Short mmCIF file of all heavy atoms in Angstrom, two decimals:
data_model
loop_
_atom_site.label_atom_id
_atom_site.label_comp_id
_atom_site.label_asym_id
_atom_site.label_seq_id
_atom_site.Cartn_x
_atom_site.Cartn_y
_atom_site.Cartn_z
N ALA A 1 3.07 -9.59 14.69
CA ALA A 1 2.01 -10.29 14.03
C ALA A 1 2.61 -11.34 13.16
O ALA A 1 2.20 -12.51 12.99
CB ALA A 1 1.13 -9.37 13.20
N LEU A 2 3.79 -10.97 12.53
CA LEU A 2 4.43 -11.96 11.53
C LEU A 2 4.97 -13.19 12.32
O LEU A 2 4.83 -14.33 11.95
CB LEU A 2 5.58 -11.24 10.87
CG LEU A 2 6.37 -12.02 9.89
CD1 LEU A 2 5.66 -12.43 8.70
CD2 LEU A 2 7.72 -11.22 9.43
N ALA A 3 5.55 -12.90 13.51
CA ALA A 3 6.06 -14.06 14.32
C ALA A 3 5.02 -14.92 14.82
O ALA A 3 5.20 -16.17 14.77
CB ALA A 3 6.92 -13.41 15.53
N LEU A 4 4.02 -14.37 15.30
CA LEU A 4 2.84 -15.24 15.79
C LEU A 4 2.17 -16.03 14.66
O LEU A 4 1.88 -17.18 14.89
CB LEU A 4 1.87 -14.38 16.56
CG LEU A 4 2.23 -13.79 17.90
CD1 LEU A 4 1.21 -12.89 18.45
CD2 LEU A 4 2.44 -15.00 18.99
N GLY A 5 1.99 -15.28 13.63
CA GLY A 5 1.32 -15.90 12.42
C GLY A 5 2.09 -17.06 11.86
O GLY A 5 1.61 -18.17 11.56
N ALA A 6 3.51 -16.86 11.76
CA ALA A 6 4.34 -17.95 11.24
C ALA A 6 4.32 -19.10 12.13
O ALA A 6 4.37 -20.27 11.65
CB ALA A 6 5.75 -17.41 11.12
N ARG A 7 4.11 -18.92 13.44
CA ARG A 7 4.17 -20.06 14.40
C ARG A 7 2.91 -20.81 14.61
O ARG A 7 2.74 -21.98 14.61
CB ARG A 7 4.66 -19.55 15.70
CG ARG A 7 4.61 -20.65 16.92
CD ARG A 7 5.64 -21.77 16.59
NE ARG A 7 5.60 -22.76 17.71
CZ ARG A 7 4.67 -23.74 17.77
NH1 ARG A 7 3.72 -23.85 16.86
NH2 ARG A 7 4.76 -24.60 18.74
N PHE A 8 1.82 -20.03 14.65
CA PHE A 8 0.52 -20.60 15.05
C PHE A 8 -0.62 -20.70 13.94
O PHE A 8 -1.58 -21.48 14.11
CB PHE A 8 -0.02 -19.81 16.33
CG PHE A 8 0.82 -19.93 17.45
CD1 PHE A 8 1.64 -18.85 17.86
CD2 PHE A 8 0.83 -21.09 18.20
CE1 PHE A 8 2.40 -19.02 18.89
CE2 PHE A 8 1.58 -21.20 19.26
CZ PHE A 8 2.46 -20.15 19.69
N LEU A 9 -0.54 -19.94 12.84
CA LEU A 9 -1.51 -19.95 11.79
C LEU A 9 -1.36 -21.33 11.15
O LEU A 9 -0.26 -21.81 10.83
CB LEU A 9 -1.37 -18.92 10.83
CG LEU A 9 -2.27 -17.65 10.98
CD1 LEU A 9 -1.93 -16.61 9.95
CD2 LEU A 9 -3.63 -18.03 10.90
N ARG A 10 -2.47 -21.86 10.75
CA ARG A 10 -2.61 -23.20 10.00
C ARG A 10 -2.90 -22.79 8.50
O ARG A 10 -3.75 -21.88 8.21
CB ARG A 10 -3.65 -24.13 10.45
CG ARG A 10 -3.27 -24.59 11.89
CD ARG A 10 -4.43 -25.46 12.55
NE ARG A 10 -4.10 -25.85 13.83
CZ ARG A 10 -3.46 -27.03 14.07
NH1 ARG A 10 -3.23 -27.86 13.13
NH2 ARG A 10 -3.26 -27.29 15.38
N GLU A 11 -2.26 -23.52 7.54
CA GLU A 11 -2.54 -23.18 6.20
C GLU A 11 -3.79 -23.81 5.71
O GLU A 11 -4.07 -24.93 5.91
CB GLU A 11 -1.29 -23.66 5.34
CG GLU A 11 -1.45 -23.31 3.88
CD GLU A 11 -1.32 -21.77 3.69
OE1 GLU A 11 -2.35 -21.10 3.75
OE2 GLU A 11 -0.31 -21.31 3.36
N THR A 12 -4.65 -22.99 5.04
CA THR A 12 -5.87 -23.53 4.45
C THR A 12 -6.12 -22.81 3.12
O THR A 12 -5.59 -21.68 2.89
CB THR A 12 -7.19 -23.21 5.38
OG1 THR A 12 -7.15 -21.66 5.57
CG2 THR A 12 -7.01 -23.74 6.67
N ARG A 13 -6.86 -23.45 2.27
CA ARG A 13 -7.18 -22.80 0.96
C ARG A 13 -8.46 -23.33 0.46
O ARG A 13 -8.95 -24.40 1.00
CB ARG A 13 -6.00 -23.04 -0.06
CG ARG A 13 -5.62 -24.51 -0.27
CD ARG A 13 -4.59 -24.70 -1.31
NE ARG A 13 -3.42 -23.91 -1.20
CZ ARG A 13 -2.36 -24.36 -0.31
NH1 ARG A 13 -2.45 -25.51 0.17
NH2 ARG A 13 -1.27 -23.64 -0.19
N ASP A 14 -8.97 -22.83 -0.67
CA ASP A 14 -10.22 -23.28 -1.27
C ASP A 14 -9.80 -24.21 -2.39
O ASP A 14 -9.27 -23.69 -3.35
CB ASP A 14 -11.07 -22.15 -1.71
CG ASP A 14 -12.34 -22.57 -2.48
OD1 ASP A 14 -12.59 -23.82 -2.52
OD2 ASP A 14 -12.95 -21.72 -3.04
N PRO A 15 -10.05 -25.53 -2.31
CA PRO A 15 -9.59 -26.44 -3.39
C PRO A 15 -10.32 -26.10 -4.78
O PRO A 15 -9.74 -26.36 -5.81
CB PRO A 15 -10.05 -27.82 -2.91
CG PRO A 15 -10.26 -27.70 -1.44
CD PRO A 15 -10.65 -26.28 -1.11
N GLY A 16 -11.45 -25.47 -4.74
CA GLY A 16 -12.10 -25.16 -5.99
C GLY A 16 -11.72 -23.76 -6.48
O GLY A 16 -12.26 -23.37 -7.57
N ALA A 17 -10.85 -23.03 -5.84
CA ALA A 17 -10.41 -21.75 -6.36
C ALA A 17 -9.79 -21.77 -7.66
O ALA A 17 -8.87 -22.63 -7.84
CB ALA A 17 -9.58 -21.09 -5.28
N ALA A 18 -10.11 -20.94 -8.55
CA ALA A 18 -9.45 -20.95 -9.88
C ALA A 18 -8.30 -19.83 -9.83
O ALA A 18 -8.03 -19.21 -8.82
CB ALA A 18 -10.44 -20.55 -10.95
N SER A 19 -7.66 -19.69 -10.90
CA SER A 19 -6.63 -18.60 -11.02
C SER A 19 -7.19 -17.25 -10.85
O SER A 19 -8.36 -17.06 -11.16
CB SER A 19 -5.89 -18.70 -12.36
OG SER A 19 -6.76 -18.50 -13.49
N LEU A 20 -6.45 -16.27 -10.43
CA LEU A 20 -7.00 -14.97 -10.21
C LEU A 20 -7.52 -14.35 -11.40
O LEU A 20 -6.90 -14.48 -12.53
CB LEU A 20 -5.95 -14.18 -9.54
CG LEU A 20 -6.17 -12.70 -9.09
CD1 LEU A 20 -7.18 -12.76 -8.03
CD2 LEU A 20 -4.99 -11.89 -8.74
N ASP A 21 -8.48 -13.66 -11.25
CA ASP A 21 -9.17 -12.76 -12.42
C ASP A 21 -8.39 -11.51 -12.64
O ASP A 21 -8.77 -10.49 -12.18
CB ASP A 21 -10.61 -12.56 -11.95
CG ASP A 21 -11.36 -11.63 -12.92
OD1 ASP A 21 -10.90 -11.53 -14.18
OD2 ASP A 21 -12.38 -11.00 -12.55
N TRP A 22 -7.27 -11.69 -13.23
CA TRP A 22 -6.39 -10.48 -13.52
C TRP A 22 -6.94 -9.38 -14.30
O TRP A 22 -6.90 -8.21 -13.95
CB TRP A 22 -5.11 -10.95 -14.18
CG TRP A 22 -4.13 -11.74 -13.24
CD1 TRP A 22 -3.87 -13.05 -13.21
CD2 TRP A 22 -3.40 -11.15 -12.01
NE1 TRP A 22 -3.03 -13.38 -12.20
CE2 TRP A 22 -2.77 -12.27 -11.44
CE3 TRP A 22 -3.35 -9.91 -11.47
CZ2 TRP A 22 -2.02 -12.09 -10.34
CZ3 TRP A 22 -2.61 -9.78 -10.37
CH2 TRP A 22 -1.94 -10.78 -9.82
N PRO A 23 -7.76 -9.71 -15.44
CA PRO A 23 -8.37 -8.57 -16.12
C PRO A 23 -9.35 -7.79 -15.26
O PRO A 23 -9.36 -6.60 -15.21
CB PRO A 23 -9.05 -9.31 -17.37
CG PRO A 23 -8.35 -10.60 -17.44
CD PRO A 23 -7.87 -10.94 -16.11
N GLY A 24 -10.15 -8.55 -14.43
CA GLY A 24 -10.98 -7.87 -13.53
C GLY A 24 -10.33 -6.98 -12.48
O GLY A 24 -10.70 -5.88 -12.11
N ALA A 25 -9.24 -7.58 -11.88
CA ALA A 25 -8.44 -6.89 -10.86
C ALA A 25 -7.81 -5.61 -11.48
O ALA A 25 -7.90 -4.57 -10.88
CB ALA A 25 -7.40 -7.79 -10.37
N LEU A 26 -7.29 -5.68 -12.68
CA LEU A 26 -6.62 -4.57 -13.15
C LEU A 26 -7.59 -3.43 -13.63
O LEU A 26 -7.32 -2.32 -13.35
CB LEU A 26 -5.81 -4.98 -14.41
CG LEU A 26 -4.58 -5.85 -14.06
CD1 LEU A 26 -3.84 -6.29 -15.37
CD2 LEU A 26 -3.62 -5.12 -13.22
N SER A 27 -8.75 -3.84 -14.21
CA SER A 27 -9.76 -2.88 -14.68
C SER A 27 -10.38 -2.16 -13.45
O SER A 27 -10.59 -0.89 -13.44
CB SER A 27 -10.90 -3.49 -15.51
OG SER A 27 -11.48 -4.52 -14.82
N PHE A 28 -10.53 -2.88 -12.31
CA PHE A 28 -11.10 -2.30 -11.14
C PHE A 28 -10.12 -1.33 -10.48
O PHE A 28 -10.47 -0.14 -10.10
CB PHE A 28 -11.47 -3.35 -10.18
CG PHE A 28 -12.14 -2.82 -8.89
CD1 PHE A 28 -13.48 -2.51 -8.91
CD2 PHE A 28 -11.40 -2.70 -7.69
CE1 PHE A 28 -14.14 -1.96 -7.76
CE2 PHE A 28 -12.01 -2.20 -6.66
CZ PHE A 28 -13.35 -2.01 -6.60
N THR A 29 -8.88 -1.73 -10.50
CA THR A 29 -7.82 -0.90 -9.89
C THR A 29 -7.68 0.42 -10.69
O THR A 29 -7.50 1.47 -10.21
CB THR A 29 -6.46 -1.67 -9.74
OG1 THR A 29 -6.75 -2.79 -8.91
CG2 THR A 29 -5.44 -0.68 -9.05
N LEU A 30 -7.60 0.25 -11.92
CA LEU A 30 -7.43 1.47 -12.84
C LEU A 30 -8.63 2.40 -12.81
O LEU A 30 -8.46 3.60 -12.78
CB LEU A 30 -7.21 0.93 -14.31
CG LEU A 30 -6.94 2.05 -15.32
CD1 LEU A 30 -5.60 2.73 -14.86
CD2 LEU A 30 -6.70 1.41 -16.79
N ALA A 31 -9.78 1.81 -12.74
CA ALA A 31 -10.95 2.68 -12.57
C ALA A 31 -10.85 3.54 -11.34
O ALA A 31 -11.15 4.68 -11.26
CB ALA A 31 -12.27 1.84 -12.49
N LEU A 32 -10.57 2.94 -10.21
CA LEU A 32 -10.48 3.69 -8.91
C LEU A 32 -9.33 4.73 -8.99
O LEU A 32 -9.46 5.79 -8.42
CB LEU A 32 -10.11 2.74 -7.72
CG LEU A 32 -11.37 1.90 -7.23
CD1 LEU A 32 -10.91 1.08 -6.05
CD2 LEU A 32 -12.51 2.86 -6.75
N ALA A 33 -8.23 4.32 -9.55
CA ALA A 33 -7.00 5.30 -9.71
C ALA A 33 -7.42 6.50 -10.52
O ALA A 33 -7.11 7.61 -10.06
CB ALA A 33 -5.79 4.53 -10.23
N LEU A 34 -8.07 6.26 -11.67
CA LEU A 34 -8.38 7.39 -12.54
C LEU A 34 -9.37 8.28 -11.91
O LEU A 34 -9.28 9.50 -12.04
CB LEU A 34 -8.94 6.88 -13.86
CG LEU A 34 -7.93 6.13 -14.80
CD1 LEU A 34 -8.58 5.51 -16.05
CD2 LEU A 34 -6.78 7.08 -15.29
N PHE A 35 -10.33 7.69 -11.24
CA PHE A 35 -11.44 8.48 -10.58
C PHE A 35 -10.80 9.37 -9.45
O PHE A 35 -11.07 10.50 -9.35
CB PHE A 35 -12.49 7.65 -10.01
CG PHE A 35 -13.58 8.38 -9.26
CD1 PHE A 35 -14.66 8.96 -9.99
CD2 PHE A 35 -13.57 8.51 -7.89
CE1 PHE A 35 -15.64 9.68 -9.36
CE2 PHE A 35 -14.57 9.23 -7.28
CZ PHE A 35 -15.58 9.83 -7.99
N THR A 36 -9.96 8.72 -8.62
CA THR A 36 -9.38 9.51 -7.47
C THR A 36 -8.52 10.69 -8.00
O THR A 36 -8.53 11.70 -7.48
CB THR A 36 -8.50 8.53 -6.60
OG1 THR A 36 -9.44 7.41 -6.16
CG2 THR A 36 -7.96 9.24 -5.45
N TYR A 37 -7.63 10.30 -9.01
CA TYR A 37 -6.75 11.28 -9.50
C TYR A 37 -7.54 12.45 -10.11
O TYR A 37 -7.25 13.69 -10.02
CB TYR A 37 -5.74 10.66 -10.55
CG TYR A 37 -4.65 11.66 -11.00
CD1 TYR A 37 -4.10 12.62 -10.18
CD2 TYR A 37 -4.26 11.55 -12.34
CE1 TYR A 37 -3.12 13.44 -10.60
CE2 TYR A 37 -3.18 12.41 -12.73
CZ TYR A 37 -2.75 13.33 -11.86
OH TYR A 37 -1.74 14.23 -12.38
N GLY A 38 -8.65 12.16 -10.78
CA GLY A 38 -9.36 13.16 -11.49
C GLY A 38 -10.07 14.02 -10.40
O GLY A 38 -10.10 15.26 -10.56
N VAL A 39 -10.62 13.54 -9.31
CA VAL A 39 -11.17 14.26 -8.27
C VAL A 39 -10.17 15.12 -7.54
O VAL A 39 -10.57 16.23 -7.13
CB VAL A 39 -11.99 13.35 -7.27
CG1 VAL A 39 -12.52 14.08 -6.12
CG2 VAL A 39 -13.21 12.61 -8.04
N LEU A 40 -9.07 14.61 -7.19
CA LEU A 40 -8.05 15.39 -6.62
C LEU A 40 -7.39 16.55 -7.41
O LEU A 40 -7.16 17.60 -6.93
CB LEU A 40 -6.81 14.41 -6.19
CG LEU A 40 -7.15 13.44 -5.06
CD1 LEU A 40 -5.89 12.57 -4.77
CD2 LEU A 40 -7.54 14.16 -3.77
N LEU A 41 -7.40 16.23 -8.70
CA LEU A 41 -6.83 17.28 -9.62
C LEU A 41 -7.91 18.42 -10.02
O LEU A 41 -7.45 19.47 -10.37
CB LEU A 41 -6.41 16.60 -10.97
CG LEU A 41 -5.52 17.35 -11.83
CD1 LEU A 41 -4.23 17.59 -11.16
CD2 LEU A 41 -5.29 16.59 -13.09
N ALA A 42 -9.17 18.07 -9.79
CA ALA A 42 -10.23 19.04 -10.26
C ALA A 42 -10.09 20.36 -9.49
O ALA A 42 -10.31 21.47 -10.16
CB ALA A 42 -11.60 18.40 -9.98
N PRO A 43 -9.89 20.48 -8.21
CA PRO A 43 -9.85 21.83 -7.59
C PRO A 43 -8.67 22.61 -8.03
O PRO A 43 -8.79 23.91 -8.09
CB PRO A 43 -9.60 21.41 -6.01
CG PRO A 43 -10.15 20.05 -5.94
CD PRO A 43 -9.81 19.43 -7.17
N GLU A 44 -7.58 22.07 -8.53
CA GLU A 44 -6.46 22.76 -9.01
C GLU A 44 -6.65 23.23 -10.57
O GLU A 44 -6.35 24.30 -10.84
CB GLU A 44 -5.19 21.90 -8.89
CG GLU A 44 -3.98 22.61 -9.47
CD GLU A 44 -2.71 21.76 -9.31
OE1 GLU A 44 -2.49 21.29 -8.20
OE2 GLU A 44 -2.03 21.43 -10.33
N ARG A 45 -7.24 22.26 -11.26
CA ARG A 45 -7.34 22.54 -12.77
C ARG A 45 -8.69 22.98 -13.15
O ARG A 45 -8.91 23.60 -14.15
CB ARG A 45 -7.10 21.28 -13.46
CG ARG A 45 -5.50 20.76 -13.31
CD ARG A 45 -4.50 21.70 -13.98
NE ARG A 45 -3.22 21.14 -13.85
CZ ARG A 45 -2.71 20.27 -14.70
NH1 ARG A 45 -3.37 19.94 -15.83
NH2 ARG A 45 -1.47 19.74 -14.55
N GLY A 46 -9.76 22.64 -12.42
CA GLY A 46 -11.13 22.95 -12.75
C GLY A 46 -11.83 21.74 -13.38
O GLY A 46 -11.15 20.84 -14.04
N TRP A 47 -13.11 21.48 -12.97
CA TRP A 47 -13.80 20.31 -13.45
C TRP A 47 -13.97 20.20 -15.00
O TRP A 47 -14.13 19.17 -15.52
CB TRP A 47 -15.16 20.24 -12.79
CG TRP A 47 -15.15 19.99 -11.28
CD1 TRP A 47 -15.14 20.90 -10.27
CD2 TRP A 47 -14.95 18.72 -10.70
NE1 TRP A 47 -15.05 20.32 -9.07
CE2 TRP A 47 -14.97 18.94 -9.33
CE3 TRP A 47 -14.92 17.45 -11.11
CZ2 TRP A 47 -14.80 17.95 -8.33
CZ3 TRP A 47 -14.74 16.42 -10.22
CH2 TRP A 47 -14.83 16.58 -8.84
N SER A 48 -13.92 21.37 -15.66
CA SER A 48 -14.16 21.32 -17.13
C SER A 48 -12.84 21.18 -17.85
O SER A 48 -12.83 21.16 -19.14
CB SER A 48 -14.86 22.64 -17.57
OG SER A 48 -13.97 23.77 -17.20
#
């Protein structure tokens, strides 16, 4: 996939795109991580 993409893909972008919403990305990732870890840990430790 890397070899074909490097040869045949054309570069495109959105000229109106702003910088990445880092606070949003980090808060969303952290929310998912905490929830997943909590759910996985619950059977071993207990929900309470």
Side-chain angles (χ1 to χ4, degrees):
L2 181 66
L4 287 173
R7 174 65 180 85
F8 295 103
L9 262 178
R10 297 173 181 268
E11 187 62 277
T12 61
R13 58 175 56 87
D14 177 7
S19 60
L20 183 64
D21 174 21
W22 286 110
L26 292 175
S27 60
F28 184 78
T29 301
L30 185 58
L32 284 180
L34 292 175
F35 180 82
T36 303
Y37 187 34
V39 171
L40 290 178
L41 197 61
E44 179 180 306
R45 300 289 186 88
W47 290 97
S48 60

